[in-house]
Amino acid sequence: MTILPLNTWINSASEPLLIAGPCGAETKEQVLATARELADTGRVSVYRAGIWKPRTRPNAFEGVGEKGLEWLKEVQKMGLKTTVEVANAQHTELALKHGVDILWIGARTTVNPFSVQEIADVLKGVDIPVMVKNPVHADLQLWLGAIERVSNSGITRLAAVHRGFHYFGKTKYRNKPLWEIPIELKTLLPELPIICDPSHISGKRELIQGVAQKALDLGMNGLMIESHINPDKALSDAQQQLTPADLKSLVERLVCRKSTTDNVLFTDKLSQLRNAIDEIDDELLNVLKKRMTIIEQIGLYKKEHDITIFQLDRWQDILKSREQWAARLGLSKAYIDKICMLLHEESIRVQTEVMNKNQVE
Ligand code: PEP
Ligand code: MN
């Protein structure tokens, strides 16, 4: 996959790279007033605005459509690039016709390979940057698939946008970040820039700062944040939009960390610490191997005595005791529970293998 660096298609106004603008374009006045204030912050490189809004229920504000694209031409005159969401071939054709600078595919579209392909087909032979938001549900393959479809139509100025995932359990976020998924994407496609959208992760203003900082700390390449001239009156996503002034102070409070440094003292100390981790991991693997050997013996022993593999009491004891031991050491319960689950899962798998061995003879 050919992917060009982000700085070949967005000149970052300042650090971090910032895409900002309203959830939706509502009126010409709102679009231009918001853009004016955002441009004046000197922090924003790209102006976002939804022209067609995917809404969960009908009769909600569904965007102003094509006329909004005319307003964005005025925004370009303020020195901002523009980006809009496209969800089908017709949106894509209209956005191209009206000279939008960058396209993005929304979370509800990424889930549907037919829609993504329809957009990708329109993009064949067109040279425009495209950002692909993660699908609503936590499926990395679907995200990758959408990126591949766009890439296959010849688009090389590509980025992913991390906007969090729908989550059934309890969470303070509108969409749970599940940071491990964009990290996995980065591992698979190291040259693909990833921009974080803390607005749709947070769902409410108060959480945006922390999410944005975390994204930068993980080395993400930029932020997309919703901003509206009068957030409380916004026709969509009112609770998560910031005034341009609030956005400016949020950005000023962010700490941009570098991924490397020439400071020799720092790199020496870091490599010492990393060596220590390597040694510990080596020990850890040896201990895991030792544990596994005993698991195999237990499996065999249960087999000889026709005893079931899964023993509820023992499993409950393990969880409880390990949680207590962990608490004494100051390790988090959630962390130790996860590790115990993994150990138990693998133990069941190995004992099942032992049980089934030579079963047919
Ligand atoms: C948006 O950016 O306003 C939007 C609809 O986002 P998402 O596709 O992430 O839900
Ligand atoms: Mn929105």
Side-chain angles (χ1 to χ4, degrees), residues 20-204:
C23 178
E26 298 165 2
T27 63
K28 185 171 180 184
E29 293 67 36
Q30 168 250 6
V31 165
L32 297 187
T34 308
R36 184 71 270 153
E37 290 204 11
L38 288 175
D40 288 348
T41 65
R43 295 279 187 169
V44 177
S45 310
V46 180
Y47 185 79
R48 59 147 286 154
I51 295 292
W52 302 277
K53 297 305 302 174
R55 304 310 297 276
T56 304
R57 307 277 302 274
N59 304 322
F61 171 65
E62 290 185 334
V64 294
E66 189 174 358
K67 69 172 184 245
L69 296 171
E70 283 301 315
W71 307 337
L72 292 181
K73 290 182 184 160
E74 310 274 322
V75 173
Q76 287 167 326
K77 291 183 194 147
M78 299 177 195
L80 296 170
K81 285 195 186 297
T82 56
T83 183
V84 303
E85 172 177 351
V86 292
N88 58 34
Q90 193 211 4
H91 296 164
T92 313
E93 278 155 6
L94 286 170
L96 292 173
K97 178 176 135 198
H98 288 275
V100 170
D101 296 296
I102 300 164
L103 306 179
W104 94 75
I105 297 179
R108 292 164 200 246
T109 307
T110 307
V111 294
N112 185 344
F114 287 128
S115 307
V116 176
Q117 192 55 53
E118 175 180 321
I119 295 167
D121 288 343
V122 176
L123 293 177
K124 281 204 180 100
V126 179
D127 186 18
I128 187 164
V130 179
M131 304 186 289
V132 181
K133 284 198 167 193
N134 67 254
V136 179
H137 45 283
D139 184 343
L140 175 62
Q141 293 304 315
L142 211 44
W143 198 2
L144 265 175
I147 292 162
E148 283 163 353
R149 284 177 199 279
V150 174
S151 167
N152 287 346
S153 67
I155 298 295
T156 51
R157 293 180 291 169
L158 258 175
V161 179
H162 168 232
R163 50 78 78 200
F165 301 87
H166 177 71
Y167 186 71
F168 273 112
K170 228 181 104 198
T171 169
K172 63 179 173 174
Y173 300 104
R174 179 178 177 195
N175 292 289
K176 206 170 159 110
L178 304 178
W179 298 101
E180 62 278 15
I181 296 182
I183 288 174
E184 177 71 13
L185 179 67
K186 191 77 188 169
T187 313
L188 293 172
L189 290 176
E191 66 285 17
L192 181 73
I194 305 186
I195 289 163
C196 182
D197 169 354
S199 303
H200 289 87
I201 291 175
S202 303
K204 40 186 157 323

